[in-house]
């Protein structure tokens, strides 16, 4: 028997950008509640809610100043409970974002910690003396510059892997663990169904604070980004490799595994909850039963081009690396990544690529995570003026590029848009009304609305249109729900040399059903031979009008960019 989270399709909501009910230009819980029927109708099973906690918003909510409350701009704790109840009433589960690595610098714990060297909370964060008139060592923050910030009140430095407004907690202090586990219990007692764990790998750092040997700087990283722009090499994979060198002593220490095991034990005190890890290391599945239930398959999305060969290699690596009993988890976008169409589209067949991407998510083995707005084909919105940026990452990149690399503001803006994440966090496009129906007309929204809402990229227009992307999402989500092999079937790659299309079987032992999936990732029609023994496939789903509902497997015609799902018969 599979657990609910193995069968579920998750949908990520970025609360600031989903629906603004009270007309202040910022999304809120009341807005989400109002659209729960929409989500039910779309066919998703669970929501991952990005941080909804009080926050000064230096990192768009990932800098939390109170872990047991709701940001006032989003609503109240009572409203949160209403949201949870309303979601549950519709059989939609809710997982929250849990940020363990750091708090906001305005969290009362840090305010106390920085107040004096002998404050009881001093050791809740990581404080060190400087060295040779500078920071304690040469560690970088992944968001740029030194990972150490000097605090004149006490004459020491504190450590922050992310922004200086996000001081790292000291997880070697048992009091920190106790306080955070209480947070976990607080929400689980309220009835939330689990957590997406933020930045798992960075929770511990080298206890000896050894210097890195690598002298690779943030500016070097931007330079590298420029140099490989437009090349097929896989920018993200390259950056991954480089940052691996830069952060050797700051990430993925063995202690994280002990902590994940303890956290799992806490979560297991409650029935039926799930932990999903934002982690690069598949090792956070533990032995398959004792750490995280799911770890995002990020390598799949770390390419500039999705090709059949890329997906096959990814599945081969990922599935064979999973410990026994562990369940895969796939995604192609989130609040830190480009929008799917902007990332994987080719400019010519974007509508087709959007469909291929969804089909991939819903037919590969594992739990899929979708990102709000992808169902209507929302695209990146590059911002035109640095004053519009809200993501500190983009703002910092802009200034670094101008000050350290002597770049022109226009060039720097282009890169800041690439590095920054505002582009994929713009307001949800509900209708072709002003402000896309996200906020009332005339209200200034927290990030600009993508003007393409007026060209059909909105929910209302697409609801009416049976050929829209939204209708495709609804249809395919419904197909997945009623096709057991797509949920519990194993994955068997076929035609492993094919360059144009991805073909595989999903075979379900429990139901006896086997499905053939063919995703044609090219504009060339195919005539495919999967069987010499006269077997046939009955059509379950196709993105094209097919003349027949049954085809011999020895001569299966597949159209350009077709998504084909057939059940094996005979
Ligand atoms: C995770 C979040 C990202 C955030 C960072 C620091 O990577 O997904 O948005 O900036 O952690 O909390």
């Amino acid at each position: 028997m599979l657990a609910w989270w193995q069968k579920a399709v998750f949908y990520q909501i970025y609360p600031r950008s989903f629906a603004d009910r009270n007309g202040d230009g910022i999304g809120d819980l009341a807005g989400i509640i109002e659209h729960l029927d929409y989500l039910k109708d779309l066919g998703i099973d669970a929501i991952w809610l990005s941080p909804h906690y009080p926050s000064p918003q230096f990192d768009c909510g990932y800098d939390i100043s109170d872990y047991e409350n709701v940001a006032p701009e989003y609503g109240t704790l009572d409203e949160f409970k209403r949201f949870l109840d309303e979601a549950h009433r519709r059989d939609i589960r809710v997982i929250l974002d849990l940020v363990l690595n750091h708090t906001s610098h305005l969290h009362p714990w840090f305010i106390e910690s920085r107040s004096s060297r002998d404050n009881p909370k001093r050791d809740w964060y990581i404080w060190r003396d400087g060295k040779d008139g500078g920071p304690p060592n040469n560690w970088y923050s992944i968001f740029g510059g030194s990972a150490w910030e000097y605090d004149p009140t006490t004459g020491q430095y504190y450590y922050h892997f992310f922004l200086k407004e996000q001081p790292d907690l000291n997880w070697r202090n048992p009091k920190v663990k106790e306080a955070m586990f209480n947070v976990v219990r607080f929400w689980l007692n309220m009835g939330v169904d689990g957590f997406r764990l933020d930045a798992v790998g960075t929770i511990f750092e080298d206890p000896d604070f050894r210097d890195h040997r690598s002298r690779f700087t943030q500016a070097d990283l931007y330079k590298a980004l420029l140099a490989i722009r437009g090349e097929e090499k896989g920018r993200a994979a390259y950056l991954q490799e480089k940052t691996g060198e830069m952060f050797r002593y700051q990430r993925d220490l063995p202690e994280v595994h002990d902590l994940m095991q303890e956290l799992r034990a806490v979560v297991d005190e409650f029935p039926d909850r799930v932990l999903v890890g934002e982690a690069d290391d598949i090792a956070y599945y533990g032995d398959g039963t004792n750490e995280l239930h799911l770890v995002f398959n990020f390598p799949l999305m770390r390419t500039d081009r999705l090709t059949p060969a890329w997906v096959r290699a990814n599945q081969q690596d990922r599935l064979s690396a999973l410990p026994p009993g562990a369940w895969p988890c796939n995604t192609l976008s989130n609040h830190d990544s480009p929008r799917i169409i902007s990332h994987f589209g080719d400019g010519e067949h974007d509508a087709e690529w959007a469909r291929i991407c969804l089909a991939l998510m819903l037919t590969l083995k594992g739990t899929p995570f979708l990102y709000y707005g992808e169902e209507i084909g929302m695209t990146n919105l590059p911002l035109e003026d640095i004053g519009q940026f809200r993501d500190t990452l983009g703002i910092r990149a802009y200034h670094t590029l101008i000050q350290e690399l002597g770049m022109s503001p226009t060039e720097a803006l282009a890169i800041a848009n690439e590095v920054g994440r505002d582009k994929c966090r713009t307001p949800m496009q509900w209708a072709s009304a002003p402000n896309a129906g996200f906020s009332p007309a005339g209200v200034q929204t927290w990030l600009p609305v993508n003007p393409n809402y007026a060209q059909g990229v909105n929910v209302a227009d697409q609801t009416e249109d049976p050929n829209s992307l939204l209708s495709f999402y609804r249809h395919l989500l419904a197909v997945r729900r009623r096709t057991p092999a797509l949920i519990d079937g194993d994955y068997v790659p076929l035609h492993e040399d094919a360059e144009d299309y991805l073909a595989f079987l999903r075979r379900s032992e429990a139901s006896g059903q086997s499905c053939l999936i063919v995703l044609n990732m090219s504009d060339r029609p195919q005539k495919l031979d999967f069987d010499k023994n006269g077997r046939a496939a009955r059509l379950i789903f196709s993105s094209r009008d097919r003349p027949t509902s049954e085809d011999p497997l020895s001569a299966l015609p597949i159209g350009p960019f077709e998504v084909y799902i057939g059940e094996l018969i005979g």
Side-chain angles (χ1 to χ4, degrees):
M1 262 285 281
L2 295 185
W4 68 267
W5 47 266
Q6 293 173 298
K7 296 186 261 187
V9 176
F10 281 75
Y11 181 97
Q12 180 188 357
I13 291 184
Y14 201 65
R16 226 172 176 69
S17 296
F18 199 59
D20 169 20
R21 182 75 208 279
N22 66 357
D24 61 357
I26 297 174
D28 44 48
L29 288 171
I32 301 177
I33 295 171
E34 202 169 54
H35 289 98
L36 284 172
D37 285 333
Y38 163 76
L39 294 177
K40 183 69 195 167
D41 188 45
L42 178 61
I44 57 99
D45 307 282
I47 293 169
W48 152 25
L49 188 65
S50 276
H52 65 287
Y53 316 91
S55 160
Q57 298 289 325
F58 282 88
D59 188 18
C60 288
Y62 285 88
D63 48 325
I64 298 170
S65 54
D66 180 356
Y67 280 80
E68 296 186 355
N69 216 329
V70 173
E73 66 269 35
Y74 298 158
T76 60
L77 207 47
D78 278 340
E79 242 163 341
F80 178 85
K81 288 181 192 154
R82 192 159 73 82
F83 156 63
L84 190 61
D85 286 348
E86 290 290 329
H88 283 167
R89 217 159 55 76
R90 292 166 176 81
D91 278 328
I92 296 176
R93 314 254 181 166
V94 176
I95 67 167
L96 300 183
D97 222 306
L98 184 63
V99 184
L100 298 175
N101 180 69
H102 50 267
T103 68
S104 157
H105 68 311
L106 299 183
H107 193 293
W109 298 341
F110 189 69
I111 293 177
E112 275 193 52
S113 182
R114 79 192 307 178
S115 65
S116 73
R117 288 198 188 201
D118 53 12
N119 184 280
K121 295 241 164 34
R122 183 66 169 181
D123 192 41
W124 282 44
Y125 293 83
I126 298 167
W127 293 97
R128 286 286 175 285
D129 289 327
K131 205 172 67 185
D132 310 327
N137 67 19
N138 69 0
W139 292 1
Y140 293 112
S141 152
I142 198 160
F143 283 173
S146 168
W148 297 96
E149 181 70 11
Y150 181 71
D151 200 31
T153 315
T154 53
Q156 281 192 313
Y157 289 79
Y158 67 86
Y159 174 72
H160 57 93
F161 186 75
F162 296 96
L163 299 174
K164 67 178 182 346
E165 292 83 6
Q166 295 170 297
D168 273 47
L169 282 161
N170 174 18
W171 279 88
R172 297 184 197 276
N173 182 337
K175 294 217 170 77
V176 166
K177 187 158 60 184
E178 192 191 324
M180 277 303 205
F181 283 2
N182 285 339
V183 166
V184 167
R185 290 196 178 93
F186 173 84
W187 293 107
L188 293 178
N189 274 321
M190 196 180 291
V192 308
D193 299 286
F195 299 98
R196 173 263 188 189
L197 297 184
D198 187 69
V200 173
T202 56
I203 293 176
F204 284 92
E205 30 300 308
D206 177 45
D208 301 326
F209 293 89
R210 276 171 286 180
D211 272 321
H212 291 297
R213 277 195 309 265
S214 154
R215 307 299 312 170
F216 205 79
T217 66
Q218 195 74 28
D220 289 335
L221 205 59
Y222 294 138
K223 266 192 239 162
L225 185 78
L226 287 177
I228 60 174
R229 257 171 120 190
E231 284 180 30
E232 240 181 64
K233 179 161 182 180
R235 177 162 60 238
Y238 177 81
L239 292 180
Q240 193 65 19
E241 185 191 315
K242 282 299 165 202
T243 56
E245 288 166 26
M246 277 173 83
F247 301 116
R248 184 182 307 272
Y249 297 125
Q250 297 166 260
R251 281 209 296 222
D252 296 323
L253 270 84
E255 289 89 329
V256 186
H257 292 283
D258 302 330
L259 180 67
M260 290 302 113
Q261 287 167 23
E262 286 179 71
L263 177 65
R264 173 67 179 259
V266 172
V267 169
D268 283 348
E269 292 166 14
F270 300 79
D272 254 4
R273 312 299 161 101
V274 68
L275 291 173
V276 188
E278 187 212 16
D280 283 317
D281 196 347
I282 196 168
Y284 293 114
Y285 276 106
D287 69 6
T289 62
N290 64 349
E291 294 190 32
L292 305 182
H293 300 86
L294 298 171
V295 177
F296 289 116
N297 174 10
F298 286 132
L300 179 65
M301 68 150 97
R302 294 214 173 105
T303 173
D304 288 345
R305 273 187 63 211
L306 274 180
T307 61
W310 176 268
V311 178
R312 276 192 294 266
N314 169 271
Q315 290 300 293
Q316 160 75 32
D317 292 351
R318 191 81 186 173
L319 296 174
S320 61
L322 286 177
W327 192 254
C329 179
N330 298 306
T331 187
L332 288 176
S333 80
N334 58 37
H335 67 292
D336 294 326
S337 320
R339 286 276 177 188
I340 282 185
I341 289 186
S342 311
H343 192 170
F344 300 116
D346 60 4
E348 209 182 317
H349 307 100
D350 288 350
E352 289 86 348
W353 275 107
R355 286 162 173 80
I356 292 280
C357 287
L358 177 71
L360 191 63
M361 289 298 94
L362 298 191
T363 59
L364 283 182
K365 182 172 180 188
T367 302
F369 273 68
L370 313 179
Y371 182 50
Y372 85 92
E374 66 169 74
E375 71 273 26
I376 49 169
M378 280 177 63
T379 54
N380 284 351
L381 178 66
L383 301 176
E384 286 163 8
D385 187 300
I386 191 66
Q388 295 176 316
F389 279 63
R390 295 292 170 267
D391 182 10
T392 312
L393 197 53
I395 299 173
R396 271 190 97 141
Y398 178 80
H399 295 299
T400 309
L401 291 167
I402 294 178
Q403 284 155 19
E404 290 182 28
L405 297 184
M407 210 172 261
S408 77
T410 315
E411 281 174 299
L413 193 72
I415 314 284
N417 266 308
E418 249 179 79
V419 175
R421 300 162 295 178
D422 291 318
K423 61 178 182 281
C424 67
R425 299 173 175 177
T426 58
M428 177 70 177
Q429 296 163 205
W430 292 105
S432 59
N435 273 336
F438 166 80
S439 286
V443 168
Q444 168 108 36
T445 54
W446 81 282
L447 274 176
V449 175
N450 192 321
N452 67 10
Y453 77 87
Q455 281 102 52
V457 186
N458 70 71
V459 171
D461 287 357
Q462 295 193 23
T463 302
E464 303 303 315
D465 175 3
N467 297 316
S468 67
L469 184 59
L470 181 58
S471 298
F472 181 87
Y473 263 69
R474 285 203 179 108
H475 191 173
L476 200 53
L477 279 157
V479 167
R480 178 182 154 100
R481 187 182 294 279
R482 62 170 183 259
T483 310
L486 294 184
I487 296 171
D488 68 8
D490 62 0
Y491 163 89
V492 186
L494 301 172
H495 292 200
E496 293 187 67
D497 296 326
E499 289 176 9
D500 284 349
Y501 61 91
L502 179 74
F504 54 96
L505 294 178
R506 298 288 312 278
R507 299 178 314 188
S508 159
E509 216 176 286
S511 67
Q513 184 186 52
S514 288
C515 286
L516 167 68
I517 291 103
V518 185
L519 308 181
N520 189 354
M521 298 179 165
S522 80
D523 58 5
R524 287 173 287 278
Q526 318 283 335
K527 188 104 180 178
L528 305 178
D529 178 2
F530 291 105
D531 181 72
K532 299 267 179 265
N533 303 323
R535 289 205 301 168
R538 184 186 307 124
L539 183 66
I540 287 191
F541 178 84
S542 168
S543 55
R544 306 177 71 87
D545 288 331
R546 293 182 67 91
T548 49
S549 62
E550 215 175 284
D551 291 281
L553 279 175
S554 56
L556 183 70
I558 297 286
F561 286 104
E562 178 168 356
V563 169
Y564 172 87
I565 305 173
E567 180 174 357
L568 304 193
I569 49 173

